[in-house]
């Protein structure tokens, strides 16, 4: 299959009359320059860096190679998001008008001509509506066509077609032969060869053996398309440098949540914080044993303690640097690895610090009742994000539906991401309360826990409910309002009803995990449709947040210094302001 290259997406679009009409309809609603600048201002420019002075010269060389490889990853993700992205980017770079520069700036934040905070509204004239299947599937293929084709395939082929690391292209045949599976190492061959070369150079410079092994195996994976060994090696990385680079998250595939977007987080360890957080690992089985679900759905033996890393971000690229910035993640996503090895949690502490100070505190002053505002704390914010990552590893994952061994992700299809995010959020409130009740966490945390979550929910819903985290939060917000745990006051501010919040949290944890355990796609869809919406009272509060940034636009100062140590700060600023 390696030699076969199907028609490109751009060629198909060019001959499709329907697409042309779509373009005209979009042009009418493209925001003007002033509006676009306002949209861009929602991302507060923020310097993200870390102290690298304790690293050896060769470790700084490792980081520099990894940043170079990340820039390739950035370009790959751009192409994955839409086949027209690269040519549109070149057009925008050439456009010297004020409107052109504003569009370029916002294009780079969104990695495409659609505003991720605004239901993917088009902001560049001539761009089509955002394709739900990104550039992973043929532009003109319907979901029903693809599903029919996938179901017609023999088992082994279906696994490849629905797997993380392939795109679906037009085939030569008709009917069931209408599509073909193209693995990433063929589709992105040239870029992956270059990235693999940089990873090998970094491996040669690295002194930490576990880092050497990961970089070598990940370079191999780029060329073989078999990521298993390198995912396992990633779980075992120790030492100062903590890189995550490759195809991982499926959020950009809104059609099926099957295909992995390329991304990269180049980070360095925060050893003291990592040690502090590792103690939570000892509590996981006890939390699993107390999950408010049918005991048959609980996992009697969770895998060995999975590693937790608290790091500071040096550079992020691709799927990891588009729209809203990731504050923490849990990888790998491949169930073969998580079943045997568990998953590693990585918390981006400097990114979280920036978000708490620039966004969450200002939001809490607007949406919370005055008496509640003092209860917002970084400790609660940080702990919730940590436990959110832990909770992704708990609850149902590998399940049996009608006697068939399958996974929650496969059964929930495009509904899986939002439901999984909601599960991690709500069950982490449950888990933290459990640890407070046990005395593992201080009782003083209870007061700030729910109030900080409430303020944080507004931050997430502002991301847009077309995105998994935002939609997941909307489900929780509405469920807890209906349960009386969150209350809207007459003046439009929100407060926590301390007598009812715990019961609401337990009930929603039970509902979501039971849907997952039963692989009940219809129930998942119904829950998301009923509750994954922004209601009037919430919208009113959101409307009062004008002027508070929605997220940060990172400027990676440590990476700039690393790649260009001789440049003066003023030169670096000039270079940065061009992009
Ligand atoms: Zn999550």
């Amino acid at each position: 299959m390696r030699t076969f290259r199907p028609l490109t997406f751009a060629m198909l679009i060019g001959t499709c009359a329907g697409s042309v009409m779509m373009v005209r309809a979009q042009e009418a609603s493209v925001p003007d320059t002033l509006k676009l600048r306002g949209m861009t201002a929602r991302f507060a420019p923020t310097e993200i860096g870390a102290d690298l002075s304790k690293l050896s010269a060769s470790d700084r060389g490792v980081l520099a190679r990894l940043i170079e490889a990340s820039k390739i990853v950035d370009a790959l993700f751009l192409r994955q998001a839409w086949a027209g992205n690269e040519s549109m980017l070149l057009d925008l770079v050439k456009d010297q008008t004020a409107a052109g520069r504003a569009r370029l700036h916002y294009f780079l934040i969104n990695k495409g001509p659609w505003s991720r905070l605004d239901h993917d509204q088009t902001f560049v004239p001539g761009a089509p509506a955002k394709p739900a299947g990104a550039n992973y599937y043929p532009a003109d293929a319907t979901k029903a066509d693809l599903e029919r084709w996938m179901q017609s395939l023999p088992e082994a082929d279906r696994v490849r077609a629905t797997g993380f690391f392939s795109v679906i292209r037009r085939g030569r045949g008709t009917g069931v032969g209408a599509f073909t599976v193209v693995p990433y190492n063929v589709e992105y061959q040239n870029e992956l060869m270059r990235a693999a070369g940089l990873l090998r150079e970094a491996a040669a410079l690295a002194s930490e053996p576990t880092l050497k092994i990961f970089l070598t195996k990940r370079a191999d994976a780029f060329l073989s398309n078999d990521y298993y060994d390198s995912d396992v090696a990633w779980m075992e990385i120790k030492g100062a440098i903590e890189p995550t680079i490759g195809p991982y998250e499926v959020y950009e595939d809104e059609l099926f949540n099957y295909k992995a977007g390329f991304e990269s987080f180049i980070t360095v360890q925060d050893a003291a914080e990592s040690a502090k957080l590792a103690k939570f690992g000892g509590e996981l089985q006890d939390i699993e044993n107390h999950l408010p679900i049918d005991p048959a759905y609980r996992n009697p033996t969770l895998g060995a303690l999975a590693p937790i890393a608290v790091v500071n971000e040096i550079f992020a690229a691709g799927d990891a640097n588009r729209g809203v910035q990731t504050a923490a993640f849990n990888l790998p996503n491949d169930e073969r690895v998580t079943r045997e090895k568990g998953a590693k949690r990585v918390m981006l502490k400097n990114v979280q610090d920036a978000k708490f100070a620039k966004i969450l505190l200002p939001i809490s002053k607007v949406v919370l009742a005055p008496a509640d505002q003092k209860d917002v704390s970084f400790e609660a914010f940080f702990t919730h994000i940590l436990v959110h990552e832990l909770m992704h590893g708990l609850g149902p994952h590998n399940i049996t539906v009608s006697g068939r061994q399958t996974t929650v992700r496969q059964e929930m299809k495009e509904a899986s991401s939002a439901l999984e995010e909601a599960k991690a959020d709500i069950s982490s409130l449950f888990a933290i309360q459990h640890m407070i009740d046990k005395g593992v966490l201080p009782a003083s945390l209870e007061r700030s826990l729910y109030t900080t979550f409430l303020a944080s929910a507004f931050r997430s819903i502002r991301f847009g409910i077309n995105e998994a985290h935002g939609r997941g939060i909307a489900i929780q917000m509405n469920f807890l309002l209906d349960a009386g745990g969150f209350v809207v006051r007459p003046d439009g501010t929100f407060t926590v009803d301390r007598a009812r919040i715990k019961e609401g949290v337990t009930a929603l944890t039970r509902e979501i995990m039971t849907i997952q355990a039963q692989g009940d796609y219809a129930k998942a869809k119904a829950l998301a449709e009923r509750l994954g919406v922004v209601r009037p009272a919430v919208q009113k509060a959101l409307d009062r947040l004008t002027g508070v940034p929605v997220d940060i636009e990172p400027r990676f100062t440590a990476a700039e210094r690393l790649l260009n140590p001789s440049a003066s700060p003023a030169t670096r600023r000039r270079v940065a302001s061009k992009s």
Side-chain angles (χ1 to χ4, degrees), residues 388-389 392 421 469:
H388 170 112
E389 296 306 324
H392 274 308
E421 291 311 324
H469 295 82

Side-chain angles (χ1 to χ4, degrees), residues 53-104:
S53 62
K54 292 196 181 73
L55 292 185
S56 68
S58 61
D59 274 353
R60 282 203 290 275
V62 172
L63 283 178
R65 301 306 187 286
L66 293 177
I67 293 165
E68 292 297 344
S70 301
K71 291 179 179 179
I72 298 171
V73 158
D74 228 11
L76 278 181
F77 178 72
L78 206 60
R79 193 183 312 158
Q80 289 186 303
W82 178 43
N85 259 344
E86 289 157 302
S87 55
M88 181 167 281
L89 175 59
L90 290 178
D91 285 344
L92 290 174
V93 166
K94 278 184 261 173
D95 187 344
Q96 296 297 316
T97 65
R101 284 204 302 278
R103 285 175 193 141
L104 174 61

Side-chain angles (χ1 to χ4, degrees), residues 249 251 328-330 385 388-389 392 417 420-422 424-425 469:
E249 300 290 0
Y251 301 123
F329 57 88
N330 194 81
I385 296 175
H388 170 112
E389 296 306 324
H392 274 308
S417 295
E420 178 61 24
E421 291 311 324
D425 271 337
H469 295 82

Side-chain angles (χ1 to χ4, degrees), residues 45-219:
T46 306
E47 296 196 350
I48 295 289
D51 179 13
L52 303 180
S53 62
K54 292 196 181 73
L55 292 185
S56 68
S58 61
D59 274 353
R60 282 203 290 275
V62 172
L63 283 178
R65 301 306 187 286
L66 293 177
I67 293 165
E68 292 297 344
S70 301
K71 291 179 179 179
I72 298 171
V73 158
D74 228 11
L76 278 181
F77 178 72
L78 206 60
R79 193 183 312 158
Q80 289 186 303
W82 178 43
N85 259 344
E86 289 157 302
S87 55
M88 181 167 281
L89 175 59
L90 290 178
D91 285 344
L92 290 174
V93 166
K94 278 184 261 173
D95 187 344
Q96 296 297 316
T97 65
R101 284 204 302 278
R103 285 175 193 141
L104 174 61
H105 188 177
Y106 202 47
F107 181 100
L108 292 172
I109 288 175
N110 284 282
K111 294 276 159 67
W114 306 285
S115 178
R116 293 175 185 270
L117 290 180
D118 306 291
H119 307 284
D120 296 324
Q121 181 196 349
T122 303
F123 60 85
V124 178
K130 189 171 194 285
N135 188 18
Y136 297 125
Y137 309 93
D140 61 343
T142 67
K143 184 170 183 176
D145 284 345
L146 289 161
E147 266 177 340
R148 220 177 1 257
W149 169 72
M150 287 169 184
Q151 276 152 22
S152 76
L153 297 171
E155 172 71 14
D157 290 344
R158 188 166 60 242
V159 167
R160 290 193 314 125
T162 61
F164 289 115
F165 312 122
S166 63
V167 295
I168 308 302
R169 296 295 178 236
R170 280 283 167 197
R172 289 177 184 146
T174 54
V176 295
F179 302 108
T180 187
V181 181
V182 182
Y184 281 2
N185 61 334
V186 176
E187 180 75 7
Y188 310 120
Q189 186 176 30
N190 293 335
E191 288 83 359
L192 290 177
M193 282 180 71
R194 284 180 50 225
L198 285 161
L199 261 49
R200 285 188 212 291
E201 285 178 28
L205 284 170
S207 50
E208 166 57 42
T210 57
L211 179 62
K212 255 183 204 298
I213 292 170
F214 167 70
L215 294 172
T216 306
K217 290 192 169 177
R218 181 58 32 137

